Amino acid sequence: MRHPRIAAGACSLLLAAACAFADPATAHVAPRTVAGGYVALGDSYSSGAGAGDYLASGKECKRSSRAFPVLWAEAHAPASFTFAACNGAGADDVLTDQLGHLGPGTGLVTLTAGGSDSGFVSVIASCALGGAEGCLSAVSRARTTMDGSLSGSLDRLYSAIRNRAPAARVVVLGYPHLYHLRGACALGLPDGERATLNDAVDHLNAVIAQRAGAHGFTFADVTAAFAGHEICSSRPWLRGVDVLAITESYHPTAPGQSLGYLPVLTRVSGWKAG
């Protein structure tokens, strides 16, 4: 999930047509038309790394025309759309580089952040190379980070978003489980390590949900939306390890964006189409 920090950029306004857990965090919201623009913030899961068809503007950020923010904007035609999410961005990167387009006229903000801060790249490497004991140790360290420095970074970020966009509906989206257990993968991590990684994602989502709720933001859990489509499933919506495109490994594919993330955002955004 980590890549060099890149300053936020804007996507064009050619938008005018046409990845959830059944709990209160993703409960149905009565549709309402929201005045103002839409600003999409966050890391690689929001930029669309892994989905292909990357936009010419800010190539290093791997902003994809198939990413859920672009698809949502095409379907709902907000007054303006700014696509600031960037591959590898941590919470502090979002705070520093991506908030410039927020303002009193912003009606919707979406965000994924926390995966990079938690060191998931090193956690996955430890699980792959260090066996069950190494995997558990790496996940334990990541949990400590989630409960400590990440929580503080999210609080600072969420406060800044609210200060800059006081009228906006803010939707913070979580991360899907990485692995389908007892799945089709003949090689790779054993199910014990896969389950440990999925548990780490659950803990990360819980921390993000808690901090988002404390700031009055909507948390949208996507684990149910991706259920049956994780790595090692028969129809995965996440990329496995790709040595030729390592930064895209463990990221949603185009179907993961359109069939996983997009329906969850559509349900909770509170914005009528058209």
Side-chain angles (χ1 to χ4, degrees), residues 225-273:
F226 277 81
H229 298 285
E230 308 90 342
I231 299 168
C232 295
S233 66
S234 59
R235 292 186 299 159
W237 292 349
L238 291 160
R239 292 186 178 275
V241 177
D242 185 346
V243 295
L244 299 179
I246 199 65
T247 61
E248 300 191 4
S249 301
Y250 296 99
H251 286 86
T253 61
Q257 292 284 335
S258 64
L259 301 177
Y261 271 97
L262 179 61
V264 175
L265 175 58
T266 299
R267 182 164 64 251
V268 304
S269 64
W271 200 314
K272 290 181 179 179

Side-chain angles (χ1 to χ4, degrees), residues 20-168:
F21 202 90
D23 64 13
T26 54
H28 289 270
V29 177
R32 59 186 177 90
T33 300
V34 181
Y38 167 32
V39 180
L41 309 172
D43 58 19
S44 51
Y45 276 65
S46 287
S47 74
D53 285 347
Y54 300 115
L55 302 172
S57 174
K59 283 187 176 180
E60 298 88 346
C61 282
K62 289 190 174 290
R63 297 188 185 110
S64 171
S65 63
R66 298 179 177 182
F68 73 84
V70 176
L71 301 178
W72 189 95
E74 289 175 343
H76 295 83
S80 63
F81 172 49
T82 301
F83 193 14
C86 189
N87 180 46
D92 290 341
D93 299 321
V94 178
L95 175 64
T96 302
D97 300 333
Q98 297 184 19
L99 304 190
H101 293 277
L102 298 178
T106 303
L108 177 67
V109 177
T110 63
L111 169 69
T112 56
S116 294
D117 307 77
S118 304
F120 258 95
V121 171
S122 61
V123 170
I124 291 169
S126 295
C127 289
L129 302 174
E133 184 175 350
C135 188
L136 288 171
S137 296
V139 168
S140 178
R141 291 191 297 271
R143 284 174 177 255
T144 299
T145 299
M146 294 172 197
D147 294 333
S149 61
L150 174 59
S151 293
S153 294
L154 292 177
D155 280 333
R156 290 189 295 273
L157 173 59
Y158 295 163
S159 293
I161 291 172
R162 179 51 72 214
N163 288 338
R164 287 174 176 259

Side-chain angles (χ1 to χ4, degrees), residues 20 25-26 171-175 218-222 261 264-265 268:
T26 54
V171 178
V172 181
L173 298 104
Y175 298 92
T218 298
F219 176 75
D221 194 319
V222 300
Y261 271 97
V264 175
L265 175 58
V268 304

